[in-house]
């Protein structure tokens, strides 16, 4: 009997079943077609052998040799077939080298990628070219060469041209000229000659273009733009905006297009203006893109059932594919929210005016009507393109107060006809949620309150109200309905996907929970409610916060994808963002897909957009991470600025992170995080215990663990870097002896493992 050949000419073992090594090699070489079905097809595995293959693949996953990405099996740490890269340098042969723009913050080094030359096919448009400093969307190819980068890539699209400019603070020197202090701790100072100062004054936040004067000369530069004095905290958000390359001014063509837009007439839309829809938002919201209403179902066949209405601003009417507004919205991907400003995805004429569901004003909307049984099971839903008129603009606290028995003049008239039916419907939907059992990780969100001059007034944790949960649940159900409808219509779309935690993160969490005698499900049985069981066992215990932090860190990052992976955290198989098209481009794509597939008029998705969904999903996922990083860094800088005058003061804190290098400590009252280097903890030699999330003194057995309450002294604050350094005042506590013995064995093991690795590598 002849042996079948696997792809690439490799022979399979007798019986046609590929061995483990062959499967791993195939997955590495074919990342874009490595689902279970693809592997079975490639090796002609049929019938009962498919069960055996499934078992082999499951074993490889459990051992951490394979991981899931969407529907594909991949080698852990590998790059997806299409990804966003930053081109950073050239190799010795002059080829461009790039690194992934996104990479998990797990201490691993992001892989280098060799950029291929783009060839121009006959009759095709010229392929995009890129250089150092560019961010590109690229197609990834695993390298078949043992020497050099593990990947090569071909540019699909240049996302943004960076000028090689740096951000910093200008410091004038006597006699003219000056220097630029970098805003990052590891940045380098740049000398500014007198003719390169421009309009910069001492203390200004500036953008500087660099140029080296000679091969080994001092790094020099000239000021490109001045963003104002850093003496004003209002300039701090501009640091993040410029550092991350976030577009914050609209081109003239975009503004012109927005100003020419006119209010929509009823036309062929359904008239929903008599339905008493209301908006419920934060008290300081400037745009209102969702409105809700609920009522009992009058169908006698659905006793106790409810009908829920969710209306969403019809942004797709104004922002058409291929327009200037559309191009700028995709370039931004989402709105970015800072404590002192918002960088919107769309101009205010669209976001705060024509598309904002203002009280008492006719507004176009895309709406969904959903019917539920008394047990919270959805019976059906329909989508409608409508004209609506918001009955009232409410804020969360106002609506909650009315339900709790303290209505004001406005909510008193809405209590019986609008608010109580909403809460009754929320109770019905809650039964369905309880049955679904999504991840219930309800960590409070801190908000900065600023004074008029932009300085931090205080850090607050807003109350978590049922009004918040009601709107969230209604929006989740609307998002599910959108995904279900588009799948039924076989319409391409962008999903919001959330993968299960990686095997490595699961194992880290499992080892940590062992130290608290909290059981945790194995990989094959892991569900969202597995984490809920963990959280419930830690509730009201001294380590409750510590366990919540570890569960949060174990979760994967949600992203956008044209492939449906499901949403692990919400425990949903079909989920797409539909409810915020004013501030998220993904939602706008879903609106267009619904309009096109349901025949709801103009503004539907185009074939060109459908072909580009993979690229669009990769871009907006990157832009979302960019926004999150900019928002986080701005908060850190504002708090560091706030505490800069309190050097030497003592504070109560909590250990919020443990690394080999030291401890991260959070000051709850300020929402601040600072670092304590391990070298400053004391005279003992401290060992990092990953399982216990602790630093333990080798001699004394005393140390510090994640979640410990400690007293610290503020030793240093660097506002522009958003950096705080503390000194530990609390003495370490005695930690379990298992921690010490564990590390003695680990240290011995690492010595022998290191020796084995050196022998294998021929060192």
């Amino acid at each position: 009997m002849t042996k079948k050949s696997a792809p690439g000419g490799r022979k399979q073992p007798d019986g046609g079943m590929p061995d483990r090594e062959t499967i791993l090699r195939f997955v590495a070489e074919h990342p874009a077609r490595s689902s279970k079905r693809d592997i079975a097809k490639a090796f002609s595995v049929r019938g009962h052998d498919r069960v055996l293959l499934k078992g082999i693949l499951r074993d490889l996953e459990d051992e951490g040799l394979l991981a899931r990405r969407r529907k594909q099996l991949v080698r852990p740490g590998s790059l997806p077939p299409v990804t966003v890269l930053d081109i950073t340098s050239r190799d010795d042969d002059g080829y461009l080298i790039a690194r992934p723009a996104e990479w998990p913050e797990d201490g691993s080094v992001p892989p280098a990628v060799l950029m291929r030359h783009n060839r121009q096919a006959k009759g095709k448009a010229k392929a995009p070219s890129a250089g150092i400093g560019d961010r590109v969307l690229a197609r990834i190819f695993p390298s078949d060469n043992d020497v050099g980068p593990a990947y090569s890539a071909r540019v699909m699209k240049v996302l943004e041209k960076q000028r090689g400019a740096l951000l910093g603070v200008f410091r004038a020197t006597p006699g003219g000229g000056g220097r630029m202090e970098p805003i990052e701790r590891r940045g380098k100072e740049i000398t500014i000659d007198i003719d390169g100062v421009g309009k910069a004054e001492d203390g200004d936040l500036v953008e500087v273009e660099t140029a080296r004067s000679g091969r080994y000369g001092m790094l020099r530069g000239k000021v490109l733009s001045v963003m104002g004095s850093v003496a004003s905290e209002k300039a701090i958000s501009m640091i993040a905006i410029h550092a991350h390359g976030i577009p914050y001014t609209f081109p003239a063509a975009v503004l012109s297009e927005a100003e020419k837009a006119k209010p929509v007439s009823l036309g062929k839309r359904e008239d929903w203006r008599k339905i008493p829809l209301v908006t419920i938002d934060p008290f300081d919201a400037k745009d209102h893109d969702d409105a809700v209403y609920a009522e009992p179902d009058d169908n006698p066949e659905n006793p106790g059932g409810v009908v829920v209405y969710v209306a969403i601003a019809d942004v797709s009417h104004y922002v058409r594919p291929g327009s200037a507004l559309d191009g700028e919205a995709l370039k931004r991907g989402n709105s970015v929210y800072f404590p002192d400003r918002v960088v919107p995805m769309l101009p205010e004429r669209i976001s705060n005016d024509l598309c904002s569901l203002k009280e008492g004003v006719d507004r176009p909307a895309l709406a969904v009507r959903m019917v539920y049984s008394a047990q919270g099971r959805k019976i059906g839903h329909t989508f409608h393109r409508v004209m609506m008129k918001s009955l009232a603009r409410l804020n969360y606290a106002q609506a909650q107060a009315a339900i709790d028995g303290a209505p004001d003049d406005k909510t008193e008239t809405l209590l019986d006809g609008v608010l109580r039916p909403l809460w009754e419907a929320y109770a019905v939907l809650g039964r369905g949620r309880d049955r679904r059992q999504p991840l219930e990780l309800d960590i409070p969100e801190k908000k900065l309150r600023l004074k008029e001059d932009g300085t931090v007034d205080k850090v607050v944790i807003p109350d978590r109200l049922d009004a918040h949960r009601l709107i969230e649940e209604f929006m989740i159900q609307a998002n599910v309905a959108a995904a279900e409808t588009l799948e039924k219509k076989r319409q391409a779309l962008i999903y919001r996907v959330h993968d299960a935690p990686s095997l490595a993160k699961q194992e880290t969490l499992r080892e940590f929970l062992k130290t608290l005698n909290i059981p945790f499900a194995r990989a094959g049985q892991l569900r969202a409610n597995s984490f809920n069981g963990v959280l419930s066992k830690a509730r009201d215990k001294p380590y409750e916060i510590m366990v919540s932090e570890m569960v949060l860190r174990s979760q994967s990052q949600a992203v956008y994808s044209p492939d449906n992976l499901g949403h692990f955290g919400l425990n949903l198989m079909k989920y797409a963002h539909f409810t915020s098209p004013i501030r998220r481009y993904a939602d706008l794509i879903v609106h267009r897909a619904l309009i096109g597939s349901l025949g709801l008029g103009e503004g539907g998705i185009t074939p060109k957009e459908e072909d580009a969904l993979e690229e669009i999903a990769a871009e907006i996922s990157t832009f979302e991470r960019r926004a999150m990083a900019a928002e986080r860094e701005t908060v850190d800088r504002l708090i560091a600025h706030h505490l800069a005058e309190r050097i030497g003061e003592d504070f109560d804190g909590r250990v919020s992170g443990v690394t080999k290098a030291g401890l991260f400590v959070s000051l709850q009252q300020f929402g601040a995080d600072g670092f304590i280097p391990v070298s400053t903890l004391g005279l003992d030699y401290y060992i990092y215990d990953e399982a216990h999330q602790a630093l333990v003194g080798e001699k004394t057995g005393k140390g510090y663990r994640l979640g410990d309450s400690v007293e610290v002294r503020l030793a240093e604050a660097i506002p522009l870097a958003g950096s705080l350094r503390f000194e530990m005042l609390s003495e370490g506590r005695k930690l379990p002896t298992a921690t010490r013995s564990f590390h003695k064995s680990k240290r011995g093991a690492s010595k022998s493992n290191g020796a084995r690795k050196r022998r294998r590598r021929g060192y």
Side-chain angles (χ1 to χ4, degrees), residues 439-504:
L439 175 59
E440 300 286 358
L441 192 59
D442 203 359
I443 294 178
E445 182 183 356
K446 303 178 184 69
K447 290 187 177 291
L448 298 187
R449 295 278 186 257
L450 304 182
K451 301 175 185 176
E452 288 187 7
D453 62 357
T455 59
V456 176
D457 182 23
K458 57 184 176 180
V459 180
V460 297
I461 300 177
D463 292 332
R464 183 82 168 135
L465 306 173
D466 280 343
H468 294 103
R469 297 184 178 95
L470 180 152
I471 295 298
E472 285 177 6
E473 188 61 27
F474 281 23
M475 297 304 114
I476 287 170
Q477 293 302 321
N479 289 338
V480 171
E484 289 176 345
T485 295
L486 293 173
E487 274 206 2
K488 188 175 180 179
K489 289 290 185 179
R490 301 185 180 277
Q491 169 64 55
L493 71 146
I494 290 179
Y495 295 90
R496 180 64 166 179
V497 300
H498 180 225
D499 204 353
S502 67
L503 289 172

Side-chain angles (χ1 to χ4, degrees), residues 109-127:
V109 177
V113 181
L114 181 72
M115 302 305 298
R116 296 183 178 184
H117 290 305
N118 278 358
R119 297 187 180 92
Q120 184 176 356
K122 189 175 182 179
K124 297 285 186 180
K126 185 179 180 181

Side-chain angles (χ1 to χ4, degrees), residues 497-517:
V497 300
H498 180 225
D499 204 353
S502 67
L503 289 172
K505 289 184 176 180
Q506 289 181 43
E507 194 56 36
T508 298
L509 179 62
R510 188 173 291 109
E511 289 296 322
F512 166 73
L513 293 173
K514 275 183 187 177
T515 70
L516 301 174
N517 295 317

Side-chain angles (χ1 to χ4, degrees), residues 39 53 58 128 136 139 176 196 250 330 402 415 418 439 448 450 453 463 516 522 545 562 580 593 647 680 701 718:
I39 295 170
L53 176 62
R58 186 188 300 114
V136 300
R139 189 166 295 281
F250 287 102
L330 177 56
L415 194 53
V418 177
L439 175 59
L448 298 187
L450 304 182
D453 62 357
D463 292 332
L516 301 174
R522 303 302 302 180
I545 295 176
S580 295
I647 304 293
T680 67
I718 307 177

Side-chain angles (χ1 to χ4, degrees), residues 208-369:
V208 171
E209 184 179 48
T210 60
R212 194 181 296 276
S213 57
R215 187 171 182 181
Y216 302 104
M218 186 84 168
L219 198 63
R220 313 185 83 83
K222 66 176 182 178
V223 174
L224 289 177
S225 60
V226 179
M227 281 152 275
S229 173
V230 291
S232 167
E233 280 82 350
K234 290 184 178 180
I236 287 181
S237 58
M238 290 301 297
I239 296 176
I241 288 170
H242 281 261
H244 290 275
I246 296 172
Y248 68 100
T249 57
F250 287 102
V254 175
L255 293 175
S256 174
E257 199 169 275
E259 289 303 318
K260 290 177 182 177
K262 304 296 181 185
V264 179
S265 59
L266 178 62
K268 296 181 180 180
R269 295 174 181 271
E270 296 180 40
D271 192 346
W272 280 28
R273 287 175 290 186
K274 291 184 179 180
I275 297 177
L277 293 151
V278 296
T279 61
I280 306 178
D281 293 295
F283 75 93
D284 56 353
K286 293 182 178 179
D287 56 66
H288 310 276
D289 52 9
D290 58 82
V292 294
Y293 173 66
E295 62 184 1
D297 188 4
D298 59 7
N299 186 343
E301 296 182 3
N302 185 28
V306 295
V307 182
V308 173
Y309 301 80
V310 175
I312 306 299
D314 189 359
V315 177
S316 59
H317 174 84
Y318 295 102
V319 184
R320 298 295 178 90
S323 65
L325 277 168
D326 183 53
E328 185 67 16
L330 177 56
K331 182 179 176 182
R332 295 171 181 236
N334 48 252
S335 297
V336 189
Y337 295 85
F338 299 105
D340 66 327
R341 74 181 75 207
V342 176
V343 179
M345 185 179 80
L346 298 167
E348 288 191 8
R349 169 67 174 158
I350 302 296
S351 60
N352 291 5
D353 186 7
L354 294 177
C355 284
S356 186
L357 307 182
K358 296 181 176 182
E359 180 179 325
V361 180
D362 288 1
R363 284 290 182 256
L366 193 60
V368 59
R369 180 183 184 270

Side-chain angles (χ1 to χ4, degrees), residues 84-213:
V84 178
L85 303 174
D86 287 326
I87 300 177
T88 57
S89 59
R90 290 186 184 273
D91 65 9
D92 293 340
D93 296 322
Y95 285 92
L96 293 169
I97 300 295
R99 301 275 182 181
E102 307 174 32
W103 193 251
E105 297 179 5
D106 56 5
S108 61
V109 177
V113 181
L114 181 72
M115 302 305 298
R116 296 183 178 184
H117 290 305
N118 278 358
R119 297 187 180 92
Q120 184 176 356
K122 189 175 182 179
K124 297 285 186 180
K126 185 179 180 181
S129 59
I132 293 175
D134 284 341
R135 173 164 288 184
V136 300
L137 188 69
R139 189 166 295 281
I140 303 297
F141 306 92
S143 175
D144 54 4
N145 193 337
D146 292 335
V147 180
Y151 299 94
S152 63
R154 181 167 288 130
V155 175
M156 299 168 65
K157 179 181 180 181
V158 178
L159 298 180
E160 53 193 57
K161 287 282 187 181
Q162 299 177 354
R163 293 177 293 180
L166 299 174
L167 209 63
V169 180
F170 177 73
R171 299 298 183 191
T173 54
R179 57 190 174 83
M180 186 206 78
E181 289 181 355
I183 59 172
E184 298 177 357
R185 297 189 84 173
R186 297 182 181 179
K188 296 180 180 179
E189 285 194 356
I190 298 174
T191 299
I192 310 293
D193 294 329
I194 190 168
D195 57 351
V197 171
K199 297 181 179 179
E201 298 180 1
D202 189 69
D204 279 346
L205 182 66
V206 295
E207 194 176 28
V208 171
E209 184 179 48
T210 60
R212 194 181 296 276
S213 57

